[in-house]
Amino acid sequence: MIMKPNHKVGIIGWGGYIPKYRLPVENISRIWGKDAERYKEGLMINEKAVAGPDEDTTTIAIEAAQNALKRAQINPKDIGAVFVGSESKPYAVKPTGTIVAEALGATPNLLAADLEFACKAGTEGLQCCMGLVSSGMIKYGLAIGADVAQGAPGDDLEFAAASGGAAFLISRDNEDCVATIEASYSYVTDTPDFWRRAEKPFPQHGEAFTGKPAYFHHIESAARNLMAELDKKPSDFKYAVFHQPNGKFPIRVAKTLGFTTAQIAPGLLVSNIGNTYSAAVPLGLSAVLDIAAPGDEILVVSYGSGAGSDAFYITVKDAIEEKRDRCLKIKEYILRRQQVGYKCYIKWRRHIIGQPR
Amino acid sequence: MSDLRVPKLWREIPQHYRLEASKCLSCGRIYFPPKTICNNCKSKNLEKTALPRKGVIETFTIIRNAPSKYELYAPYAIAIVKLENDVKILAQITDCEPAKLQIGMPVEAVIRRLYDDGENGVIHYGFKFRPVF
Amino acid sequence: MRDVAIIGVGLTKIDLHFDKSIREIFKEAVSKALDDAFNPVIESAYIGNMAADEFNNQKNISSLLIDFSGLNNIPATRIETGESSGGSALIAGFNDVASGLHDFVLVGGVEKMSEVVSTEAESIISLGMFHEYETIQGLSPEGAAALIMRLYMHKYNVKDEDIALLAQQDHKNAVSNPYAQLRFEVTLESILKARSIADPITLMHCAPIGDGAAALILCPMEEAKKITDTPIQIAGIGQASDALGLTQRDDLLDFKSIRLAAEKAYKMAKIKPEDVQVAEIFDSYTIYGLLALEELGFAQRGEAAAMLKNGFFSKNGVKPVNISGGLKARGHPIGATGVYQTAEIALTLRGDAQLKIDSTPEVGLAQTLSGAGVNSTVQILRRV
């Protein structure tokens, strides 16, 4: 069902964060005796962003949120809700949102909650904020998608599972907003294509089952239904951002839905930074906003295993021009790059038995 | 050696997350961490203020023999940073190759994991600095 | 206020005494000091010790040590000011005698560090730093010294090899000190090429870990003259503290606590820095030794290294410094170090064979320091 707020809501600030370190596909394939080209050509991933030893989902969420706040230039005390969507919470029990809120100076009079829905927990936060803001229950809402994604050593996931985060401050639509979120559409079913059981360090997945009945079915359904409800067609959009577990899936889903490569290229970051899970679509949208012009229309569709998709129809506004340069852009984070080796990566992820933690 | 005392660091969150300091309303001196009496003019009239988040490295070292529970990060840099308002702060310099460090280098504050009290313990977050980019 | 004299000195060889308890090494020092003082009846005791709680799992250390030294039931107090604990214990003992409260007072210092592995020792010594703002950042005591050393090198254009001269001199001097832990000479190259602990500090810029105990017997000067021909007067004492946090100070290279402690001691002894003929300075790290030479008024700011180079502070130089071998080579059993230093100056002034120099000095100085200038004591001794 289409979700359209009674009072229009907009994005008043956005920001992302990508760690400095990169693990090239070759550094992983060499260890496991796999063919790097298969991953580079087949999955279109060259390297992935790796969190430093002192980084985790919380620290990533904080920097992304700080960037969003720099662009919004609002009083943090006016933030009424913080949602952190992630599947790599540093604590199993203890909220991430409270730490983020404290770091921003938004505490104590606000709602804070952590969301989990595999890779789409970040966009759920956007929908929560839309409702709370539109209804007038809160003034501003902060939605963050952040992950230090897990992939078991040697598993195909390891080639892609990456770290990053992005944050959006949601407001009633006004002239300070950089974009209006016109409508959203969620489509969910019980489809176990990828999961992680409690207290297990790494997720399991259904290999090919993650494709047609999972990723493609949900994204296509959410996108088509949203466009149908709004009477929109792919050519109406300047940009489209789809969930990007690899490079191949979003390109194929774009083609199926009738979008061109030019429409998806600016928000397709996976080749350079990997799959940042809950942050993948939020980071893609951030990268698009970094370059978008007033009047541009954007389609955003996330996907979370288990399974579901959230689609959004966003139109860019004038304020984007003056807010764009108030913090580091996604491109700058991508260019800030230091390559690391597999052993360093494994050590930082604390995977070596008996190592100091 | 001893495990982290949770209230002891929880109490420091305003300083560790947001660089909250205190400023003497009589002589203007700024204290980090905050003091409630001014060492300079002995005034007890101090108010909360936030420190700037940018500065330059005044001096630094690279810790190679790390204290226990910091071994994962070694080698790592620690510097005394002179902030934009001349207040000094001691912090780890993260995301920087040791060979690139130098006195005078511009750095900015970030929030990182400061101390991880083992697999079952609390994770304490706080400021570090990194090269401005 | 009564004049106070040292009439007994007892030292143990500093080493990794795996086979001896803290009780045994302390008792050895006390027995030697008592014998040296012709076994007076001790009325009270002050013991410098930094971390028996952590190294030895023992609080109430003063009662334990006094009991096992055979000094039943006397008032005994442990004094802790970090690494300067020994110096602070001496001041407490001095006050006790000078005030007239007691006549014969034992001042001891002991640290038994070898019970723990080096990383544990490191963590224990780190407790002396500002926990929430330094230790939590991963700073080590070596790191603190390194921050200061780099700034010193930068400001005064001094090279690490110049600072290393102090470690080299210490090792040279330690060879003839039977109580020293590291009785061998080292080359400058070996100091510079040693394993880096915290750049620019290598292992050879740092004092070693060791076990040791030292003891002094204090009494009023009038009594001392009846007992010994060589009473050594404690002519001046001074102590000063400074902010624990490095960033709390305006100038990192200003070790104000040493300067203020020295000013008080000089004033009390009615002397000037140039009147000091021999000194034991506190070089837990070589850079702290250089700063001490400057704050004590023996060298201009930034010039201590140059004076070391021209031999001013060598054993047969104008003002011999650390003829014991200093903290680097005599050793640094933390809470005991200040007592060792004072004892060594007393022995030198007495012309004792083990720490003798060619000249016959009358005035000597011992200086302690905790951490990076956190607390300092200065003791001036005079042969009467």
Side-chain angles (χ1 to χ4, degrees), chain A residues 17 20-21 53-56 58-59 63 66 90-91 99 102-103 328 333 336 347 350 355 357, chain B residues 13 17-18 53 71-74 94-97 110-113 116 119 122-123 125 128 130 133:
Chain A
Y17 174 74
K20 180 185 180 189
Y21 306 99
D54 58 358
E55 294 187 288
D56 62 19
T58 307
T59 66
E63 182 154 346
Q66 285 170 333
Y91 289 96
I99 309 172
E102 197 75 61
L328 289 164
Y333 280 110
R336 183 187 72 137
K347 178 180 124 178
R350 300 157 170 88
Q355 79 167 85
R357 287 152 194 271
Chain B
I13 280 177
Y17 289 10
R18 301 192 297 272
R53 300 181 71 89
E71 296 102 328
L72 177 70
Y73 310 110
T94 189
D95 287 354
C96 184
E97 290 166 80
V110 291
I111 304 284
R112 293 295 170 92
R113 287 165 87 116
D116 186 344
E119 281 184 307
V122 75
I123 303 163
Y125 297 91
K128 293 184 182 179
R130 71 163 176 224
F133 69 104

Side-chain angles (χ1 to χ4, degrees), chain A residues 244-258:
Chain A
Q244 36 204 276
N246 52 54
K248 196 170 68 175
F249 277 23
I251 288 172
R252 196 197 296 167
V253 86
K255 197 174 171 188
T256 305
L257 287 167

